[in-house]
Amino acid sequence: MSWFSKLLLPGRLRTGPTALLPARPDPKTLLAVAQLADPEARTDGDDILAGGSRIQPPVELTADVLAKLGVPDDDGLWACRIAAEGPLPVDFFDKSLAEGIAYRLGGWSLCQGEPLDPAEDAGDPLVYLPAVPEPEEILPVLSEALRHAEAVDAERWPEGELIEGVVHVPVRGGRVADVYAGADVLVTIEEGHRLPPAAQTRWPYLTEIAIARVSPVARTEEPEGEDADLADGPAEGVPDADAAPGPLDAASGADADTDTDTDTDTGSDTDAGSDAEDVPSGNDAEGADEVRAALLVRAAVAVTLANALRGIAADSRGFQLAEPADVLPGGYA
């Protein structure tokens, strides 16, 4: 690891996706987390290969290195850099892999100089499906899993039909195929997605799959074009493979070795530090509990759908969920 010099290390970690962890992860734990995203993840020497990306072994970062990275932590962190094997992974998988590892091990992710706390936005649970389910197949499952809607919102869904407490809206336009709504949970079925690693292992004979996204029904509708994303977009989840790599991700491969240590990113880092030092009030704690409870409800719907329709439940970053509690942050910390 001669390249891990104090001169090159900050630049290498800043340019490529990196998981910043509060403690050195056990190699078996790190492999188990990686296998949630890619069941075929395996060790390769000290590294882990997962979904066309290489997870490099953790390196301890001292306070002076963290200061160069713009991360407000005086106690030190452990960094696992994610490097692409060959061409950049589809779906920006290296970036979502770093975020997912940080999410489960109670840390931060860092990409292109932007530190991110993944626990601040868990995103929407997903269900990978081999094909778009027919309404008569999915409606009975949702009728049991969702809190029932009392009526159809005719202004929002003029073509909606209330069936056993679930509003069904046949879209059949663009990527969205069907929408199902209960009292507080919305299930959007999207078709034509490329296979993420977890789905590729289950259905190696398919070239594309359908995805059920489980979101809050009260959320403001996203603008057209957002349904082209696998989840909520690059900063929130696993992006769609049809999107070309943007400028922030173009340097996330293994060749991004140039130290780009500058002072231009200190503004956002100051904000991150002040957020980290804030002590949550009682109202903030109650709000966090409500968000956590709502996330567990949506994750329970995703797991129920996956079990009933022979699909795969996952979080917004493509990490599999065996049970609803798996969607909460810090589960492997």
Side-chain angles (χ1 to χ4, degrees), residues 9 21 54 66 68 76 78 124 138 149 166 173 249 275 301:
L9 181 58
L21 309 174
R54 182 177 291 272
L66 289 172
K68 289 185 177 182
W78 292 82
D124 294 330
I138 191 174
V166 179
D249 297 271
D275 290 342
V301 173

Side-chain angles (χ1 to χ4, degrees), residues 31-41 50-51 93 96-97 100-101 104 128 196-199 201 315 317-320:
L31 177 61
V33 172
Q35 287 174 338
L36 295 176
D38 178 8
E40 295 185 344
F93 183 73
S96 61
L97 188 61
I101 291 172
R104 276 158 180 76
Y128 302 141
T201 301
D315 67 8
R317 297 174 177 92
F319 284 65
Q320 296 178 81

Side-chain angles (χ1 to χ4, degrees), residues 190 213 222-233 236:
E190 303 171 1
R213 184 191 309 188
E222 298 170 346
E224 292 184 9
E226 285 296 317
D227 61 352
D229 290 337
L230 188 62
D232 286 336
E236 297 180 340

Side-chain angles (χ1 to χ4, degrees), residues 3-271:
W3 62 270
F4 276 116
S5 66
K6 288 189 176 181
L7 176 63
L8 293 179
L9 181 58
R12 289 178 179 270
L13 296 182
R14 180 184 286 113
T15 56
T18 300
L20 302 176
L21 309 174
R24 182 186 180 97
D26 176 78
K28 292 183 178 180
T29 300
L30 190 58
L31 177 61
V33 172
Q35 287 174 338
L36 295 176
D38 178 8
E40 295 185 344
R42 58 182 177 84
T43 56
D44 182 35
D46 293 332
D47 299 343
I48 295 174
L49 296 180
S53 297
R54 182 177 291 272
I55 305 170
Q56 298 176 347
V59 176
E60 187 174 13
L61 304 182
T62 57
D64 58 333
V65 175
L66 289 172
K68 289 185 177 182
L69 292 172
V71 177
D73 196 302
D74 297 329
D75 298 327
L77 294 173
W78 292 82
C80 289
R81 183 170 183 263
I82 315 297
E85 282 285 281
L88 289 177
V90 298
D91 298 344
F92 306 111
F93 183 73
D94 53 347
K95 184 174 185 293
S96 61
L97 188 61
E99 291 181 5
I101 291 172
Y103 186 81
R104 276 158 180 76
L105 293 175
W108 294 56
S109 69
L110 181 71
C111 186
Q112 292 295 310
E114 292 293 334
L116 169 72
D117 182 359
E120 291 182 353
D121 189 353
D124 294 330
L126 309 171
V127 183
Y128 302 141
L129 300 167
V132 174
E134 295 297 329
E136 54 268 22
E137 184 182 9
I138 191 174
L139 276 168
V141 181
L142 292 177
S143 181
E144 293 291 331
L146 301 182
R147 192 164 66 88
H148 287 184
E150 297 181 356
V152 177
D153 185 344
E155 182 177 349
R156 185 175 185 184
W157 298 306
E159 298 182 2
E161 180 183 6
L162 186 62
I163 304 173
E164 297 183 359
V166 179
V167 177
H168 173 219
V169 185
V171 180
R172 305 296 176 183
R175 176 160 287 181
V176 177
D178 290 288
V179 174
Y180 300 91
D184 46 19
V185 172
L186 188 72
V187 178
T188 305
I189 310 294
E190 303 171 1
E191 57 186 343
H193 289 277
R194 293 184 184 178
L195 278 71
Q200 192 169 18
T201 301
R202 174 79 69 87
W203 305 299
Y205 51 87
L206 295 179
T207 58
E208 59 182 35
I209 59 171
I211 289 178
R213 184 191 309 188
V214 186
S215 57
V217 75
R219 178 180 294 166
T220 302
E221 289 184 300
E222 298 170 346
E224 292 184 9
E226 285 296 317
D227 61 352
D229 290 337
L230 188 62
D232 286 336
E236 297 180 340
V238 183
D240 178 56
D242 295 339
L248 294 185
D249 297 271
S252 63
D255 294 334
D257 292 340
T258 304
D259 186 1
T260 56
D261 183 21
T262 66
D263 295 329
T264 57
D265 54 0
T266 55
S268 60
D269 303 330
T270 302
D271 294 338

